[in-house]
PDB file of all heavy atoms in Angstrom:
ATOM      1  N   LYS A   3     -58.868 -48.310 -17.979  1.00  0.00           N
ATOM      2  CA  LYS A   3     -59.828 -48.016 -16.914  1.00  0.00           C
ATOM      3  C   LYS A   3     -59.676 -48.997 -15.755  1.00  0.00           C
ATOM      4  O   LYS A   3     -59.775 -48.613 -14.582  1.00  0.00           O
ATOM      5  CB  LYS A   3     -61.254 -48.050 -17.466  1.00  0.00           C
ATOM      6  CG  LYS A   3     -61.593 -46.883 -18.372  1.00  0.00           C
ATOM      7  CD  LYS A   3     -63.094 -46.728 -18.582  1.00  0.00           C
ATOM      8  CE  LYS A   3     -63.667 -47.814 -19.436  1.00  0.00           C
ATOM      9  NZ  LYS A   3     -65.105 -47.590 -19.742  1.00  0.00           N
ATOM     10  N   ALA A   4     -59.421 -50.269 -16.059  1.00  0.00           N
ATOM     11  CA  ALA A   4     -59.263 -51.279 -15.009  1.00  0.00           C
ATOM     12  C   ALA A   4     -57.990 -51.027 -14.199  1.00  0.00           C
ATOM     13  O   ALA A   4     -57.996 -51.157 -12.962  1.00  0.00           O
ATOM     14  CB  ALA A   4     -59.226 -52.670 -15.633  1.00  0.00           C
ATOM     15  N   GLN A   5     -56.898 -50.661 -14.878  1.00  0.00           N
ATOM     16  CA  GLN A   5     -55.652 -50.363 -14.174  1.00  0.00           C
ATOM     17  C   GLN A   5     -55.814 -49.140 -13.277  1.00  0.00           C
ATOM     18  O   GLN A   5     -55.319 -49.109 -12.146  1.00  0.00           O
ATOM     19  CB  GLN A   5     -54.528 -50.129 -15.189  1.00  0.00           C
ATOM     20  CG  GLN A   5     -54.080 -51.385 -15.908  1.00  0.00           C
ATOM     21  CD  GLN A   5     -53.058 -51.099 -16.979  1.00  0.00           C
ATOM     22  OE1 GLN A   5     -53.171 -50.109 -17.714  1.00  0.00           O
ATOM     23  NE2 GLN A   5     -52.044 -51.947 -17.096  1.00  0.00           N
ATOM     24  N   PHE A   6     -56.515 -48.135 -13.784  1.00  0.00           N
ATOM     25  CA  PHE A   6     -56.772 -46.933 -13.001  1.00  0.00           C
ATOM     26  C   PHE A   6     -57.554 -47.278 -11.739  1.00  0.00           C
ATOM     27  O   PHE A   6     -57.220 -46.831 -10.635  1.00  0.00           O
ATOM     28  CB  PHE A   6     -57.547 -45.922 -13.846  1.00  0.00           C
ATOM     29  CG  PHE A   6     -57.919 -44.663 -13.112  1.00  0.00           C
ATOM     30  CD1 PHE A   6     -57.040 -43.597 -13.053  1.00  0.00           C
ATOM     31  CD2 PHE A   6     -59.138 -44.540 -12.466  1.00  0.00           C
ATOM     32  CE1 PHE A   6     -57.364 -42.442 -12.371  1.00  0.00           C
ATOM     33  CE2 PHE A   6     -59.480 -43.389 -11.786  1.00  0.00           C
ATOM     34  CZ  PHE A   6     -58.588 -42.337 -11.732  1.00  0.00           C
ATOM     35  N   ALA A   7     -58.588 -48.089 -11.878  1.00  0.00           N
ATOM     36  CA  ALA A   7     -59.418 -48.465 -10.731  1.00  0.00           C
ATOM     37  C   ALA A   7     -58.612 -49.233  -9.687  1.00  0.00           C
ATOM     38  O   ALA A   7     -58.806 -49.057  -8.477  1.00  0.00           O
ATOM     39  CB  ALA A   7     -60.612 -49.296 -11.206  1.00  0.00           C
ATOM     40  N   ALA A   8     -57.685 -50.082 -10.152  1.00  0.00           N
ATOM     41  CA  ALA A   8     -56.866 -50.852  -9.216  1.00  0.00           C
ATOM     42  C   ALA A   8     -55.888 -49.963  -8.456  1.00  0.00           C
ATOM     43  O   ALA A   8     -55.626 -50.176  -7.269  1.00  0.00           O
ATOM     44  CB  ALA A   8     -56.100 -51.931  -9.974  1.00  0.00           C
ATOM     45  N   SER A   9     -55.348 -48.959  -9.127  1.00  0.00           N
ATOM     46  CA  SER A   9     -54.375 -48.061  -8.497  1.00  0.00           C
ATOM     47  C   SER A   9     -55.036 -47.016  -7.615  1.00  0.00           C
ATOM     48  O   SER A   9     -54.446 -46.551  -6.639  1.00  0.00           O
ATOM     49  CB  SER A   9     -53.545 -47.350  -9.571  1.00  0.00           C
ATOM     50  OG  SER A   9     -52.783 -48.251 -10.322  1.00  0.00           O
ATOM     51  N   PHE A  10     -56.265 -46.636  -7.975  1.00  0.00           N
ATOM     52  CA  PHE A  10     -56.926 -45.536  -7.278  1.00  0.00           C
ATOM     53  C   PHE A  10     -58.295 -45.927  -6.730  1.00  0.00           C
ATOM     54  O   PHE A  10     -59.327 -45.593  -7.311  1.00  0.00           O
ATOM     55  CB  PHE A  10     -57.080 -44.329  -8.212  1.00  0.00           C
ATOM     56  CG  PHE A  10     -55.798 -43.604  -8.488  1.00  0.00           C
ATOM     57  CD1 PHE A  10     -55.153 -43.769  -9.692  1.00  0.00           C
ATOM     58  CD2 PHE A  10     -55.236 -42.777  -7.532  1.00  0.00           C
ATOM     59  CE1 PHE A  10     -53.965 -43.112  -9.952  1.00  0.00           C
ATOM     60  CE2 PHE A  10     -54.045 -42.114  -7.784  1.00  0.00           C
ATOM     61  CZ  PHE A  10     -53.408 -42.284  -8.993  1.00  0.00           C
ATOM     62  N   PRO A  11     -58.294 -46.678  -5.609  1.00  0.00           N
ATOM     63  CA  PRO A  11     -59.566 -46.820  -4.907  1.00  0.00           C
ATOM     64  C   PRO A  11     -60.022 -45.430  -4.453  1.00  0.00           C
ATOM     65  O   PRO A  11     -59.248 -44.472  -4.501  1.00  0.00           O
ATOM     66  CB  PRO A  11     -59.220 -47.720  -3.722  1.00  0.00           C
ATOM     67  CG  PRO A  11     -57.736 -47.564  -3.540  1.00  0.00           C
ATOM     68  CD  PRO A  11     -57.185 -47.312  -4.912  1.00  0.00           C
ATOM     69  N   GLU A  12     -61.247 -45.311  -4.017  1.00  0.00           N
ATOM     70  CA  GLU A  12     -61.826 -43.988  -3.733  1.00  0.00           C
ATOM     71  C   GLU A  12     -60.971 -43.145  -2.798  1.00  0.00           C
ATOM     72  O   GLU A  12     -60.762 -41.957  -3.036  1.00  0.00           O
ATOM     73  CB  GLU A  12     -63.236 -44.158  -3.148  1.00  0.00           C
ATOM     74  CG  GLU A  12     -63.955 -42.841  -2.953  1.00  0.00           C
ATOM     75  CD  GLU A  12     -65.388 -43.024  -2.462  1.00  0.00           C
ATOM     76  OE1 GLU A  12     -65.837 -44.184  -2.374  1.00  0.00           O
ATOM     77  OE2 GLU A  12     -66.041 -42.019  -2.160  1.00  0.00           O
ATOM     78  N   ALA A  13     -60.439 -43.763  -1.742  1.00  0.00           N
ATOM     79  CA  ALA A  13     -59.635 -42.999  -0.772  1.00  0.00           C
ATOM     80  C   ALA A  13     -58.374 -42.436  -1.414  1.00  0.00           C
ATOM     81  O   ALA A  13     -57.977 -41.296  -1.153  1.00  0.00           O
ATOM     82  CB  ALA A  13     -59.263 -43.891   0.410  1.00  0.00           C
ATOM     83  N   ALA A  14     -57.721 -43.229  -2.275  1.00  0.00           N
ATOM     84  CA  ALA A  14     -56.503 -42.770  -2.939  1.00  0.00           C
ATOM     85  C   ALA A  14     -56.803 -41.653  -3.921  1.00  0.00           C
ATOM     86  O   ALA A  14     -56.016 -40.717  -4.082  1.00  0.00           O
ATOM     87  CB  ALA A  14     -55.823 -43.934  -3.647  1.00  0.00           C
ATOM     88  N   LEU A  15     -57.952 -41.740  -4.573  1.00  0.00           N
ATOM     89  CA  LEU A  15     -58.329 -40.707  -5.538  1.00  0.00           C
ATOM     90  C   LEU A  15     -58.556 -39.375  -4.823  1.00  0.00           C
ATOM     91  O   LEU A  15     -58.148 -38.314  -5.304  1.00  0.00           O
ATOM     92  CB  LEU A  15     -59.598 -41.137  -6.282  1.00  0.00           C
ATOM     93  CG  LEU A  15     -59.958 -40.372  -7.546  1.00  0.00           C
ATOM     94  CD1 LEU A  15     -58.834 -40.450  -8.568  1.00  0.00           C
ATOM     95  CD2 LEU A  15     -61.244 -40.916  -8.144  1.00  0.00           C
ATOM     96  N   LYS A  16     -59.180 -39.433  -3.656  1.00  0.00           N
ATOM     97  CA  LYS A  16     -59.431 -38.215  -2.889  1.00  0.00           C
ATOM     98  C   LYS A  16     -58.154 -37.633  -2.300  1.00  0.00           C
ATOM     99  O   LYS A  16     -58.109 -36.451  -1.956  1.00  0.00           O
ATOM    100  CB  LYS A  16     -60.440 -38.503  -1.769  1.00  0.00           C
ATOM    101  CG  LYS A  16     -61.854 -38.783  -2.247  1.00  0.00           C
ATOM    102  CD  LYS A  16     -62.783 -39.042  -1.073  1.00  0.00           C
ATOM    103  CE  LYS A  16     -64.211 -39.283  -1.535  1.00  0.00           C
ATOM    104  NZ  LYS A  16     -65.131 -39.570  -0.395  1.00  0.00           N
ATOM    105  N   ASN A  17     -57.108 -38.468  -2.195  1.00  0.00           N
ATOM    106  CA  ASN A  17     -55.865 -38.044  -1.559  1.00  0.00           C
ATOM    107  C   ASN A  17     -54.823 -37.518  -2.552  1.00  0.00           C
ATOM    108  O   ASN A  17     -53.689 -37.226  -2.177  1.00  0.00           O
ATOM    109  CB  ASN A  17     -55.260 -39.214  -0.767  1.00  0.00           C
ATOM    110  CG  ASN A  17     -54.187 -38.769   0.217  1.00  0.00           C
ATOM    111  OD1 ASN A  17     -54.266 -37.680   0.785  1.00  0.00           O
ATOM    112  ND2 ASN A  17     -53.193 -39.611   0.426  1.00  0.00           N
ATOM    113  N   ILE A  18     -55.197 -37.381  -3.814  1.00  0.00           N
ATOM    114  CA  ILE A  18     -54.251 -36.842  -4.806  1.00  0.00           C
ATOM    115  C   ILE A  18     -53.860 -35.413  -4.423  1.00  0.00           C
ATOM    116  O   ILE A  18     -54.709 -34.597  -4.078  1.00  0.00           O
ATOM    117  CB  ILE A  18     -54.859 -36.861  -6.223  1.00  0.00           C
ATOM    118  CG1 ILE A  18     -55.045 -38.308  -6.702  1.00  0.00           C
ATOM    119  CG2 ILE A  18     -53.964 -36.109  -7.204  1.00  0.00           C
ATOM    120  CD1 ILE A  18     -55.750 -38.422  -8.037  1.00  0.00           C
ATOM    121  N   LYS A  19     -52.582 -35.127  -4.485  1.00  0.00           N
ATOM    122  CA  LYS A  19     -52.072 -33.788  -4.183  1.00  0.00           C
ATOM    123  C   LYS A  19     -51.932 -33.012  -5.497  1.00  0.00           C
ATOM    124  O   LYS A  19     -50.936 -33.155  -6.218  1.00  0.00           O
ATOM    125  CB  LYS A  19     -50.713 -33.864  -3.474  1.00  0.00           C
ATOM    126  CG  LYS A  19     -50.670 -34.809  -2.270  1.00  0.00           C
ATOM    127  CD  LYS A  19     -51.688 -34.455  -1.201  1.00  0.00           C
ATOM    128  CE  LYS A  19     -51.494 -35.340   0.026  1.00  0.00           C
ATOM    129  NZ  LYS A  19     -52.576 -35.190   1.011  1.00  0.00           N
ATOM    130  N   TRP A  20     -52.932 -32.214  -5.829  1.00  0.00           N
ATOM    131  CA  TRP A  20     -52.909 -31.470  -7.081  1.00  0.00           C
ATOM    132  C   TRP A  20     -51.970 -30.274  -6.971  1.00  0.00           C
ATOM    133  O   TRP A  20     -52.024 -29.520  -6.011  1.00  0.00           O
ATOM    134  CB  TRP A  20     -54.316 -30.983  -7.436  1.00  0.00           C
ATOM    135  CG  TRP A  20     -55.286 -32.087  -7.683  1.00  0.00           C
ATOM    136  CD1 TRP A  20     -56.253 -32.541  -6.841  1.00  0.00           C
ATOM    137  CD2 TRP A  20     -55.385 -32.913  -8.851  1.00  0.00           C
ATOM    138  NE1 TRP A  20     -56.948 -33.582  -7.403  1.00  0.00           N
ATOM    139  CE2 TRP A  20     -56.435 -33.829  -8.644  1.00  0.00           C
ATOM    140  CE3 TRP A  20     -54.689 -32.949 -10.067  1.00  0.00           C
ATOM    141  CZ2 TRP A  20     -56.807 -34.781  -9.601  1.00  0.00           C
ATOM    142  CZ3 TRP A  20     -55.049 -33.890 -11.013  1.00  0.00           C
ATOM    143  CH2 TRP A  20     -56.093 -34.790 -10.778  1.00  0.00           C
ATOM    144  N   TYR A  21     -51.119 -30.118  -7.963  1.00  0.00           N
ATOM    145  CA  TYR A  21     -50.187 -28.990  -7.953  1.00  0.00           C
ATOM    146  C   TYR A  21     -50.941 -27.674  -8.101  1.00  0.00           C
ATOM    147  O   TYR A  21     -51.638 -27.466  -9.092  1.00  0.00           O
ATOM    148  CB  TYR A  21     -49.208 -29.098  -9.121  1.00  0.00           C
ATOM    149  CG  TYR A  21     -48.234 -30.254  -9.028  1.00  0.00           C
ATOM    150  CD1 TYR A  21     -48.370 -31.366  -9.851  1.00  0.00           C
ATOM    151  CD2 TYR A  21     -47.175 -30.214  -8.132  1.00  0.00           C
ATOM    152  CE1 TYR A  21     -47.466 -32.419  -9.781  1.00  0.00           C
ATOM    153  CE2 TYR A  21     -46.272 -31.266  -8.056  1.00  0.00           C
ATOM    154  CZ  TYR A  21     -46.425 -32.365  -8.890  1.00  0.00           C
ATOM    155  OH  TYR A  21     -45.535 -33.400  -8.820  1.00  0.00           O
ATOM    156  N   PRO A  22     -50.792 -26.763  -7.140  1.00  0.00           N
ATOM    157  CA  PRO A  22     -51.354 -25.417  -7.309  1.00  0.00           C
ATOM    158  C   PRO A  22     -50.392 -24.532  -8.098  1.00  0.00           C
ATOM    159  O   PRO A  22     -49.288 -24.966  -8.441  1.00  0.00           O
ATOM    160  CB  PRO A  22     -51.498 -24.921  -5.865  1.00  0.00           C
ATOM    161  CG  PRO A  22     -50.368 -25.599  -5.145  1.00  0.00           C
ATOM    162  CD  PRO A  22     -50.180 -26.942  -5.819  1.00  0.00           C
ATOM    163  N   ALA A  23     -50.813 -23.328  -8.374  1.00  0.00           N
ATOM    164  CA  ALA A  23     -49.944 -22.386  -9.081  1.00  0.00           C
ATOM    165  C   ALA A  23     -48.665 -22.152  -8.286  1.00  0.00           C
ATOM    166  O   ALA A  23     -48.678 -22.077  -7.059  1.00  0.00           O
ATOM    167  CB  ALA A  23     -50.683 -21.063  -9.285  1.00  0.00           C
ATOM    168  N   VAL A  24     -47.560 -22.046  -8.994  1.00  0.00           N
ATOM    169  CA  VAL A  24     -46.253 -21.866  -8.352  1.00  0.00           C
ATOM    170  C   VAL A  24     -45.930 -20.380  -8.257  1.00  0.00           C
ATOM    171  O   VAL A  24     -45.759 -19.711  -9.279  1.00  0.00           O
ATOM    172  CB  VAL A  24     -45.144 -22.577  -9.155  1.00  0.00           C
ATOM    173  CG1 VAL A  24     -43.802 -22.427  -8.448  1.00  0.00           C
ATOM    174  CG2 VAL A  24     -45.478 -24.047  -9.333  1.00  0.00           C
ATOM    175  N   PRO A  25     -45.836 -19.822  -7.048  1.00  0.00           N
ATOM    176  CA  PRO A  25     -45.488 -18.403  -6.916  1.00  0.00           C
ATOM    177  C   PRO A  25     -44.056 -18.130  -7.370  1.00  0.00           C
ATOM    178  O   PRO A  25     -43.196 -19.023  -7.357  1.00  0.00           O
ATOM    179  CB  PRO A  25     -45.637 -18.139  -5.404  1.00  0.00           C
ATOM    180  CG  PRO A  25     -46.403 -19.296  -4.869  1.00  0.00           C
ATOM    181  CD  PRO A  25     -46.080 -20.453  -5.750  1.00  0.00           C
ATOM    182  N   ALA A  26     -43.785 -16.910  -7.757  1.00  0.00           N
ATOM    183  CA  ALA A  26     -42.434 -16.515  -8.153  1.00  0.00           C
ATOM    184  C   ALA A  26     -41.461 -16.756  -6.993  1.00  0.00           C
ATOM    185  O   ALA A  26     -41.782 -16.498  -5.836  1.00  0.00           O
ATOM    186  CB  ALA A  26     -42.421 -15.047  -8.559  1.00  0.00           C
TER     187      ALA A  26
END
């Protein structure tokens, strides 16, 4: 949890690029 918090401050967490479904 501590490592996660250090890597992902709030702005970085909001900026994650989540993979959407991949079209054919």
Side-chain angles (χ1 to χ4, degrees):
K3 289 196 289 185
Q5 289 175 319
F6 177 87
S9 297
F10 287 104
E12 186 176 355
L15 194 58
K16 291 181 178 179
N17 196 34
I18 293 175
K19 310 302 186 189
W20 297 103
Y21 292 107
V24 182

